Coordinates of all heavy atoms in Angstrom, one line a residue:
T202 N -18.6 92.0 -25.9 CA -20.0 91.6 -26.2 C -20.4 90.6 -25.2 O -19.7 89.6 -24.9 CB -20.1 91.1 -27.6 OG1 -19.6 92.1 -28.5 CG2 -21.6 90.8 -28.0
V203 N -21.7 90.7 -24.7 CA -22.2 89.8 -23.7 C -23.6 89.3 -24.2 O -24.4 90.1 -24.7 CB -22.4 90.5 -22.3 CG1 -23.0 89.6 -21.3 CG2 -21.1 91.0 -21.8
L204 N -23.8 88.0 -24.1 CA -25.1 87.4 -24.4 C -26.0 87.5 -23.2 O -25.7 87.0 -22.1 CB -25.0 86.0 -24.9 CG -26.3 85.2 -25.1 CD1 -27.1 85.9 -26.3 CD2 -26.0 83.7 -25.4
V205 N -27.2 88.1 -23.4 CA -28.2 88.3 -22.3 C -29.4 87.4 -22.7 O -30.0 87.6 -23.7 CB -28.6 89.7 -22.1 CG1 -29.6 89.8 -21.0 CG2 -27.4 90.6 -21.8
S206 N -29.7 86.4 -21.8 CA -30.8 85.6 -22.1 C -32.0 85.9 -21.2 O -31.9 86.7 -20.3 CB -30.4 84.1 -21.9 OG -29.9 83.9 -20.6
N207 N -33.2 85.3 -21.5 CA -34.4 85.5 -20.7 C -34.8 87.0 -20.7 O -35.2 87.5 -19.6 CB -34.3 84.9 -19.3 CG -34.0 83.4 -19.3 OD1 -34.6 82.7 -20.1 ND2 -33.2 83.0 -18.3
V208 N -34.7 87.6 -21.8 CA -35.1 89.1 -21.9 C -36.6 89.1 -21.9 O -37.2 88.4 -22.8 CB -34.4 89.7 -23.1 CG1 -34.9 91.2 -23.2 CG2 -32.9 89.7 -23.0
P209 N -37.2 89.9 -21.1 CA -38.7 90.1 -21.2 C -39.2 90.6 -22.5 O -38.4 91.3 -23.2 CB -39.0 91.1 -20.1 CG -37.9 91.0 -19.1 CD -36.7 90.7 -20.0
K210 N -40.4 90.2 -22.9 CA -40.9 90.5 -24.3 C -41.0 92.0 -24.4 O -40.8 92.6 -25.5 CB -42.2 89.8 -24.5 CG -42.6 89.8 -25.9 CD -43.8 88.9 -26.1 CE -44.2 88.8 -27.6 NZ -45.4 87.9 -27.8
S211 N -41.3 92.7 -23.3 CA -41.5 94.2 -23.4 C -40.2 94.9 -23.7 O -40.1 95.9 -24.5 CB -42.0 94.7 -22.1 OG -41.2 94.4 -21.0
L212 N -39.1 94.3 -23.2 CA -37.7 94.9 -23.5 C -37.2 94.4 -24.9 O -36.6 95.2 -25.6 CB -36.7 94.5 -22.4 CG -37.0 95.1 -21.0 CD1 -35.9 94.6 -20.0 CD2 -36.9 96.6 -21.1
A213 N -37.6 93.2 -25.2 CA -37.1 92.7 -26.5 C -37.7 93.5 -27.7 O -37.1 93.6 -28.7 CB -37.4 91.2 -26.7
N214 N -38.9 94.0 -27.5 CA -39.6 94.7 -28.6 C -39.2 96.2 -28.6 O -39.7 96.9 -29.4 CB -41.1 94.6 -28.4 CG -41.6 93.2 -28.7 OD1 -41.0 92.4 -29.5 ND2 -42.6 92.7 -28.0
D215 N -38.4 96.6 -27.6 CA -38.1 98.1 -27.5 C -36.6 98.1 -27.2 O -36.1 98.0 -26.0 CB -38.9 98.8 -26.4 CG -38.7 100.3 -26.4 OD1 -37.8 100.8 -27.2 OD2 -39.4 101.0 -25.7
E216 N -35.7 98.2 -28.2 CA -34.3 98.2 -28.0 C -33.8 99.5 -27.3 O -32.8 99.4 -26.6 CB -33.6 98.1 -29.4 CG -33.8 96.8 -30.1 CD -33.0 96.7 -31.4 OE1 -32.2 97.6 -31.6 OE2 -33.2 95.7 -32.1
S217 N -34.5 100.6 -27.4 CA -34.1 101.8 -26.6 C -34.2 101.6 -25.1 O -33.3 102.0 -24.4 CB -35.0 103.0 -27.1 OG -36.3 102.7 -26.8
R218 N -35.2 100.9 -24.7 CA -35.3 100.6 -23.2 C -34.2 99.6 -22.8 O -33.7 99.7 -21.7 CB -36.7 100.0 -22.9 CG -37.9 101.0 -23.0 CD -39.2 100.3 -22.7 NE -39.1 99.8 -21.3 CZ -40.0 99.0 -20.8 NH1 -41.1 98.6 -21.5 NH2 -39.9 98.6 -19.6
L219 N -34.0 98.7 -23.7 CA -32.9 97.7 -23.4 C -31.5 98.4 -23.3 O -30.7 98.1 -22.5 CB -32.9 96.6 -24.4 CG -32.0 95.3 -24.1 CD1 -32.6 94.6 -22.9 CD2 -32.1 94.4 -25.3
R220 N -31.3 99.4 -24.2 CA -30.1 100.1 -24.2 C -30.0 101.0 -22.9 O -28.9 101.0 -22.3 CB -30.0 101.0 -25.4 CG -28.8 101.9 -25.5 CD -28.9 102.8 -26.6 NE -28.9 102.1 -27.9 CZ -27.8 101.8 -28.6 NH1 -26.6 102.1 -28.1 NH2 -27.9 101.1 -29.7
D221 N -31.1 101.6 -22.5 CA -31.1 102.4 -21.2 C -30.8 101.5 -20.0 O -30.2 102.0 -19.0 CB -32.4 103.1 -21.1 CG -32.6 104.2 -22.2 OD1 -31.6 104.6 -22.8 OD2 -33.8 104.5 -22.5
L222 N -31.3 100.3 -20.1 CA -31.1 99.4 -18.9 C -29.7 99.1 -18.7 O -29.2 99.0 -17.5 CB -31.9 98.1 -19.1 CG -31.8 97.0 -18.0 CD1 -32.3 97.5 -16.7 CD2 -32.5 95.7 -18.5
F223 N -28.9 98.9 -19.7 CA -27.5 98.5 -19.6 C -26.5 99.7 -19.7 O -25.3 99.5 -19.6 CB -27.1 97.5 -20.7 CG -27.6 96.1 -20.5 CD1 -28.8 95.8 -21.1 CD2 -27.0 95.2 -19.6 CE1 -29.4 94.5 -21.0 CE2 -27.6 94.0 -19.4 CZ -28.7 93.6 -20.1
S224 N -27.1 100.9 -19.9 CA -26.2 102.1 -20.0 C -25.6 102.5 -18.6 O -24.7 103.3 -18.6 CB -27.0 103.3 -20.5 OG -28.1 103.6 -19.7
M225 N -26.0 101.8 -17.5 CA -25.5 102.2 -16.2 C -24.1 101.6 -16.0 O -23.4 102.1 -15.1 CB -26.4 101.6 -15.1 CG -26.4 100.0 -15.1 SD -27.5 99.3 -13.9 CE -29.1 99.8 -14.5
F226 N -23.7 100.7 -16.9 CA -22.3 100.1 -16.7 C -21.3 101.1 -17.3 O -21.6 101.9 -18.2 CB -22.2 98.8 -17.5 CG -23.1 97.7 -16.9 CD1 -24.3 97.4 -17.4 CD2 -22.6 97.0 -15.8 CE1 -25.1 96.4 -16.8 CE2 -23.3 96.0 -15.2 CZ -24.6 95.7 -15.7
P227 N -20.1 101.1 -16.7 CA -19.0 102.0 -17.2 C -18.7 101.9 -18.6 O -18.6 100.8 -19.2 CB -17.8 101.7 -16.3 CG -18.4 100.9 -15.1 CD -19.6 100.2 -15.6
G228 N -18.5 103.0 -19.3 CA -18.2 103.0 -20.7 C -19.4 103.1 -21.6 O -19.3 103.6 -22.8

Side-chain angles (χ1 to χ4, degrees):
T202 304
V203 178
L204 173 63
V205 181
S206 58
N207 298 326
V208 177
K210 197 170 183 179
S211 58
L212 292 178
N214 294 328
D215 191 353
E216 294 185 7
S217 60
R218 290 181 59 190
L219 192 62
R220 180 186 294 270
D221 295 338
L222 177 64
F223 289 96
S224 61
M225 65 180 69
F226 293 97

